[in-house]
Amino acid sequence: MHDAEHYILEAQFGERWQQEDRQLNQRLAELREKHGTPPNIVHIMWDDTALGEVGIPAIQSVRGFKTPNINQMANDGINFMRMYTEPACTPTRAAFQTGRYAVRSGMHTVSFPVEYSGMDAGEVTIAEVLDKAGYNTAFFGKWHLGDTEFSYAHKQGYDEAFFTPYNQVPSMWIPQAEVANVITGLYPDLHGEDPYDLDQSHQPRGVVWTIEGTKGGPSREWGPPPDIKNYWDIETEAQKRTLAFIDKSVADKKPFFISYQPILTAFFPDPREKKRLTANKNVGAEGLVKLDAFVGKLFEHLQSQGVAENTLVIVMADNGPFIHHGPRGMVETLYRGGKGDFTEGGVRVPMLATWPGVIKPGQIVGDILHVTDLYTTFANLGGAKKYIPRDRIIDGVDQTSLFLNGDGFSRRDYVMIYQGPNLAAGVKGRFKRDWKNAEVGLSKNEFYDLFTDPREMHGEMIEQFHVKSMFNRQRQRHELWIKKYPNRPDATPGPALTGLENVRPETVEIYTAPVDPKKLPFDPQEVSEQPLPFSGSDL
């Protein structure tokens, strides 16, 4: 069940799509017979990178860094120039996992520790879909979809998981950062006494950096903080486990789906590194160069295991660069805006894909696709489309034809762009409408032609009156579908960081009531659905 706009396209191109699908299904069946399994899928998604920063060596030549292995993917496969995501980390990761705009799952807002909420257990992830088709599934890296036990990656369909429940912010929550004045007050024993700092119970000293677990098995904290070297070791461990999971799946003679989402960087440097790798020197470029080295190892590993020709590999960013109050070196490249923005620079990201012998090399694709499309496409490639839930809207459309047939074969010409729970903009083909800054009852220069004004610098009014009613209808249809199938209002609340087999006393304090609820004037549970901070530690 798709969003309304899909059916407008299906009415016009449905017969052509059916013909394409018959040919594609035959080709996939032949590949399955040749290799003995449906294709393996490795999806790598990292943070905050502008379109053009990878895959285009000419741009890197004036940015002071190189990613030769990722750039080679553009030569060996497809460089997608119009992949849309959500504007920030948590929403994009939720959209990828569920095939739904983040607003539908309630995961529309960036999670910050300690969150006391997470992705609802009722959401159906791509891991759950592929698992039913016989895939081994694994998640390694930055999860960022909540700290509640029901939202842990291995509780959301993954056979094996090694993940950070939060973003990179906790990398600063270390004694070294307190001494360096990067943070203040988390470790009061490391600075002069503040006689007015009465309540220190609210400080998240027991926050967990990394959780590991298996489906149906125990959950454990890995590499307990507060040692900064432990944080940088998360990436190394995630990469090691990625390669080991390939080995395990090959030994099992089962297809594998691996979602590796690098932490890429931290907000406090690794003291073991004495020099920078790039002329750029900044965290974004440094992280990309390190990731690029692993991408090279990944392809070598797939080749050595004899599965390279049966493996689709995708690398991409989750949103645009962190240009607003972010780390030095995050810049606009081709498009205006960045992380958090609804402009093209915030939601149009680099994505490259290879599949030897299947995806033709050297392609540049200008078609629109959305991160949710990977959900439906992966399900189709894995023979798991029948396991996609039918009781909710799935925004992702099957883009198998785009991947296998190339430029001009997308089944999408539209995107709805949300900032948090608010619809900020709409895209239809070459046109874009800014709803966020529009005034009710008036028409202003809120329309853009992305071919003639790709940086959205000069909004038009008179020249684009002919698209106003088109966007009105697009929005009305979209909202009608929401009325029929309502969104979750927010992330689902719950106690944070519970269920850990090796839990530390400091972590227990995070989900233990700071007061005796019996001594309060009323029971907060009677008026709030939020079980914290007044729940007992036995929850």
Side-chain angles (χ1 to χ4, degrees):
M1 189 185 311
H2 292 297
D3 200 5
E5 209 66 16
H6 172 78
Y7 299 102
I8 305 301
L9 296 179
E10 186 179 54
Q12 301 171 67
F13 304 104
E15 291 185 8
R16 193 190 84 183
W17 292 352
Q18 289 178 8
Q19 293 176 357
E20 290 174 7
D21 286 344
R22 283 192 289 270
Q23 296 172 349
L24 292 168
N25 291 338
Q26 182 179 348
R27 190 174 180 191
L28 292 174
E30 292 170 353
L31 288 168
R32 183 177 299 198
E33 184 176 356
K34 175 182 177 181
H35 296 289
T37 70
N40 309 303
I41 301 169
V42 179
H43 177 258
I44 300 175
M45 183 167 68
W46 63 87
D47 283 274
D48 306 355
T49 304
L51 178 62
E53 291 282 86
V54 297
I56 304 178
I59 291 178
Q60 291 183 349
S61 69
V62 294
R63 291 280 286 124
F65 69 95
K66 297 178 181 179
T67 57
N69 296 301
I70 294 175
N71 294 350
Q72 185 61 38
M73 293 181 68
N75 296 329
D76 295 341
I78 299 176
N79 190 352
F80 291 92
M81 296 301 291
R82 209 169 176 192
M83 159 56 87
Y84 284 91
T85 63
E86 305 268 342
C89 310
T90 294
T92 292
R93 291 161 205 273
F96 168 73
Q97 294 293 344
T98 65
R100 288 147 55 81
Y101 289 135
V103 71
R104 299 198 196 278
S105 63
M107 300 298 293
H108 47 67
T109 301
V110 176
S111 301
F112 278 88
V114 175
E115 189 67 16
Y116 299 109
S117 67
M119 190 164 71
D120 194 86
E123 293 297 324
V124 179
T125 67
I126 183 59
E128 291 174 282
V129 171
L130 290 173
D131 174 77
K132 291 180 179 178
Y135 273 73
N136 282 350
T137 60
F139 184 94
F140 305 119
K142 179 180 172 180
W143 181 242
H144 205 189
L145 292 175
D147 52 17
T148 49
E149 189 172 354
F150 55 78
S151 70
Y152 294 169
H154 56 293
K155 306 287 185 180
Q156 290 280 355
Y158 285 94
D159 296 326
E160 186 177 318
F162 174 83
F163 64 98
T164 60
Y166 305 116
N167 54 15
Q168 292 88 339
V169 165
S171 66
M172 297 186 293
W173 296 359
I174 52 175
Q176 298 100 311
E178 185 80 57
V179 173
N181 210 29
V182 175
I183 60 170
T184 300
L186 189 58
Y187 297 95
D189 54 312
L190 296 181
H191 56 73
E193 182 179 358
D194 179 0
Y196 309 111
D197 185 17
L198 301 181
D199 179 17
Q200 296 179 7
S201 67
H202 64 88
Q203 298 288 8
R205 296 190 184 92
V207 72
V208 172
W209 280 350
T210 315
I211 297 171
E212 60 180 341
T214 55
K215 186 187 299 181
S219 307
R220 294 181 59 85
E221 179 178 14
W222 182 90
D227 187 340
I228 185 57
K229 292 189 294 294
N230 288 341
Y231 195 87
W232 282 101
D233 286 341
I234 295 170
E235 195 79 286
T236 305
E237 183 68 15
Q239 293 177 356
K240 183 176 75 174
R241 294 190 185 208
T242 296
L243 301 182
F245 194 79
I246 293 172
D247 297 342
K248 176 184 181 300
S249 299
V250 170
D252 291 343
K253 297 182 179 180
K254 293 183 66 176
F256 55 84
F257 165 62
I258 300 174
S259 178
Y260 167 39
Q261 300 190 12
I263 61 169
L264 200 67
T265 188
F267 287 105
F268 203 85
D270 187 343
R272 295 167 295 189
E273 293 191 353
K274 304 303 181 184
K275 59 179 291 186
R276 297 295 185 185
L277 300 173
T278 70
N280 183 292
K281 291 176 54 182
N282 295 294
V283 294
E286 292 285 304
L288 287 172
V289 167
K290 293 176 185 176
L291 174 61
D292 184 72
F294 173 73
V295 170
K297 291 180 182 178
L298 171 67
F299 281 115
E300 290 176 1
H301 201 79
L302 293 170
Q303 193 70 41
S304 68
Q305 283 288 7
V307 294
E309 291 187 359
N310 195 35
T311 303
L312 168 64
V313 179
I314 292 176
V315 301
M316 64 179 292
D318 64 350
N319 48 250
F322 196 170
I323 62 172
H324 305 295
H325 316 293
R328 187 172 181 266
M330 294 280 187
V331 296
E332 297 175 353
T333 300
L334 297 176
Y335 296 99
R336 184 169 65 90
K339 187 184 186 85
D341 294 329
F342 65 86
T343 50
E344 298 291 285
V347 293
R348 202 191 285 203
V349 301
M351 188 180 97
L352 301 102
T354 61
W355 186 356
V358 179
I359 290 179
K360 296 177 183 177
Q363 297 184 72
I364 296 175
V365 167
D367 297 78
I368 292 178
L369 72 163
H370 189 262
V371 64
T372 55
D373 295 346
L374 298 179
Y375 181 97
T376 317
T377 305
F378 290 174
N380 186 54
L381 294 175
K385 211 168 182 179
K386 62 184 177 182
Y387 301 117
I388 293 176
R390 264 63 178 176
D391 62 345
R392 66 200 68 188
I393 294 173
I394 300 295
D395 293 291
V397 298
D398 181 6
Q399 297 279 26
T400 302
S401 187
L402 180 61
F403 277 81
L404 272 60
N405 290 326
D407 195 52
F409 283 88
S410 178
R411 298 184 180 181
R412 171 190 292 276
D413 70 345
Y414 62 94
V415 177
M416 307 300 272
I417 302 173
Y418 280 84
Q419 287 182 307
N422 303 312
L423 184 57
V427 174
K428 183 73 170 176
R430 67 191 289 171
F431 301 110
K432 185 170 184 177
R433 183 175 185 179
D434 174 359
W435 279 312
K436 180 178 180 178
N437 297 304
E439 293 184 14
V440 177
L442 298 175
S443 290
K444 301 192 303 177
N445 56 333
E446 62 205 51
F447 304 95
Y448 296 89
D449 181 339
L450 295 174
F451 282 0
T452 60
D453 183 18
R455 287 182 57 80
E456 300 162 87
M457 299 296 291
H458 307 287
E460 296 177 330
M461 180 176 67
I462 294 175
E463 298 89 340
Q464 292 194 49
F465 267 158
H466 61 289
V467 303
K468 179 177 181 177
S469 62
M470 174 191 76
F471 278 113
N472 286 346
R473 295 193 303 274
Q474 180 177 335
R475 179 167 185 164
Q476 288 166 359
R477 291 190 291 252
H478 175 70
E479 292 177 344
L480 182 65
W481 257 236
I482 293 174
K483 188 174 182 180
K484 175 63 178 177
Y485 302 98
N487 302 330
R488 296 186 192 276
D490 212 336
T492 300
L497 302 173
T498 59
L500 300 178
E501 195 175 62
N502 59 339
V503 66
R504 290 178 285 128
E506 302 94 326
T507 303
V508 172
E509 291 183 7
I510 286 178
Y511 56 82
T512 302
V515 297
D516 182 356
K518 295 179 182 178
K519 295 183 180 181
L520 297 172
F522 65 93
D523 182 358
Q525 299 287 7
E526 294 179 357
V527 295
S528 175
E529 296 179 0
Q530 174 73 12
L532 287 173
F534 296 109
S535 65
S537 61
D538 59 333
L539 294 180

